[in-house]
Structure formats: structure tokens, C-alpha cells
Amino acid sequence: MAIMIRTPREIEKMRRSGAVVRQVLEHVQAAVKPGATTLDLERAAERKIAELGAAPAFKGYRGYPCVLCTSINEEVVHGIPSAERVLRSGDLVSIDCGVVMDGYYGDSAVTVAVGDTVAPGAQRLMDVTRASLERAIAVVRAGATLGDIGAAVQEVVEADGFSVVRDFVGHGIGTRMHEEPQVPNYGQRGAGAKLRIGMVLAIEPMVNAGKPEVQVLHDGWTAVTQDGSLSAHFEHTVAVTDEGVAILTQ
Ligand code: MF3
Ligand code: CO
């Protein structure tokens, strides 16, 4: 299957799904505090998604059990919310949410610190990961390539001595959560498929403070850094437009 081209009408629908995802993430972030469990975050998200008239995208996807992925510290992505998992001051928690509304998907993630005190290195990791996503979004326009996106992420991340996860990538998104193309967070400028007006991508750098290798735990989902180092993750759904780029999840 080729990379889908979405009409302005379709992109408008994706903007609405994206706005729901944003509101859910804001709502969940307000519930992040020491002593809260990741199941508390899941419940807050479930209620908000329903209130906004959308449906969760992750729950049931390949058997995934929840509407959020909540990944703490050395967990990279796909952490499963649980009543046993209590947030502590200084933890980093990545909150990833996808919804579908009117047939169109939105997908976004943020990483936030729990409580008021966070180690400088952890703060730096979050800042650099967010900056790498911003830099990648800034190169998106018709005529740019997937390699330009990956190179932008990689440059920002590696300049700080952090590493880009290779085992998971961003993706096209539209009437399915995962569509072509794969959107790696590494690559060479000018390489890969050319972006065209109407393409919609979920760009999602996953950045480790230490080495890039990850492994999946026995729950079949939770990906953790192999060296136990911290990891951060940010994601936006963006569309290539005649004006350059539109962030649909903000
Ligand atoms: N944002 C992630 C992704 O695009 C989350 C998917 S979790 C899953 O792959 F459970 F739905 F797989
Ligand atoms: Co995604």
C-alpha cells in the first residue's frame, strides 16, 4: 500500500481527533502527582475520551488492554497502566494516547515529571526529546523527505549525547492508527520517500539517556531500555499542507 493522501476535509476530521487527544493528555497531566497510580491516569483518560465523544484507539489494538500507554523512567513505550504502579516524585512518565472519531485517528504523547523536583539530567532528557520533535516538525513540508525528519531528530538528540531508539518508529496515520510509511527517528538528509501535500504522519521520537537498545518485558508490551537508563517520548500527528506543516494534535 502506498502512502495515503488526505483531502482537506479529511485533515479537518483528523484535526478534530487530534484536538480530542490533546484535551485528554492535558486532563491526564493534571492528574499526574506523587501517589497517583497509572490506573488513575487510565481512568481519567477513559472518562475524558467518552465525554468528548471519541473512542480509544489503543484499547483492543493487537490485544492491548488500555486506552493509554504510561511508561515510567526506564520504560520507553507501551507501559500498561496498573493499580500497582504508583507515581513517585521525580519519576518521568510518558503518556501516550490515540483516539478515533468519525473514522479518523489522532495520536500524541508527552513526557512529564512527577512532582516538583526532577533531576537535572532527567529534565534535560525531556527537553531534548521535545526539541527533537519540534525540529523534526519544522522540516516537514512538501518535497522534504522521511530522511530529513529522522536526521533532524537524530542531530538534536546525539548533540546532547543521548540516543535514538531504533526498534520503534513513527508512522503514517489516517483511517487506521498505523499506516504507511514508517517514520524512523534516524536517517540521512535527502533519503527516503518524498513528502507530499496531504500526507499525515505521527512523528514520535523515543530517546534514551544511555544506549539505544530496548527490550520488551514478559507482559509482551512494556519496552524498557536494556541498560536501565531513563527514556523519554513525545509524539504529534502532523499533516503536510500547502503552507508547510500543520500540527493536528495541538
Ligand atoms: N503511539 C503508539 C504507536 O503509535 C502507541 C500504540 S500502543 C498500542 O504505536 F497499544 F496501541 F499498540
Ligand atoms: Co504513534
Side-chain angles (χ1 to χ4, degrees), residues 105-120:
Y105 283 76
D107 188 6
S108 182
V110 292
T111 299
V112 295
V114 180
D116 311 312
T117 45
V118 56

Side-chain angles (χ1 to χ4, degrees), residues 96 107 171 178 202 204 235:
D96 191 350
D107 188 6
H171 49 96
H178 293 144
E204 51 179 319
E235 175 177 24

Side-chain angles (χ1 to χ4, degrees), residues 15-214:
R15 206 185 278 282
R16 285 199 275 274
S17 299
V20 168
V21 172
R22 188 86 261 126
Q23 288 174 78
V24 172
L25 289 178
E26 305 265 312
H27 181 67
V28 170
Q29 274 178 75
V32 169
K33 50 180 190 286
T37 69
T38 52
L39 188 65
D40 295 332
L41 306 185
E42 167 77 8
R43 295 289 178 247
E46 262 184 327
R47 282 193 298 270
K48 196 70 183 175
I49 291 169
E51 179 191 318
L52 295 171
F58 297 175
K59 196 168 187 163
Y61 182 86
R62 295 173 179 258
Y64 186 75
C66 290
V67 308
L68 291 183
C69 296
T70 51
S71 311
I72 301 173
N73 296 336
E74 78 288 352
E75 295 173 356
V76 179
V77 287
H78 304 164
I80 303 173
S82 149
E84 326 282 80
R85 201 64 209 268
V86 181
L87 300 176
R88 298 181 183 289
S89 186
D91 282 346
L92 296 192
V93 57
S94 136
I95 305 161
D96 191 350
C97 183
V99 306
V100 56
M101 206 165 53
D102 205 7
Y104 290 84
Y105 283 76
D107 188 6
S108 182
V110 292
T111 299
V112 295
V114 180
D116 311 312
T117 45
V118 56
Q123 184 65 53
R124 184 72 196 154
L125 178 67
M126 283 191 294
D127 291 346
V128 167
T129 306
R130 190 194 298 103
S132 74
L133 174 57
E134 285 165 2
R135 187 79 74 81
I137 292 171
V139 307
V140 173
R141 56 176 175 77
T145 70
L146 290 172
D148 293 341
I149 292 175
V153 171
Q154 202 179 356
E155 209 174 276
V156 172
V157 167
E158 292 178 356
D160 252 76
F162 298 139
S163 52
V164 162
V165 170
R166 264 70 171 174
D167 290 4
F168 298 98
V169 295
H171 49 96
I173 178 169
T175 53
R176 289 172 300 139
M177 179 164 67
H178 293 144
E179 297 185 351
E180 279 191 56
Q182 298 205 139
V183 183
N185 296 299
Y186 53 89
Q188 241 131 25
R189 236 182 236 111
K194 263 205 166 83
L195 305 183
R196 294 174 48 203
I197 292 171
M199 289 182 180
V200 184
L201 305 174
I203 305 177
E204 51 179 319
M206 289 145 272
V207 176
N208 296 349
K211 297 208 165 74
E213 287 77 21
V214 305

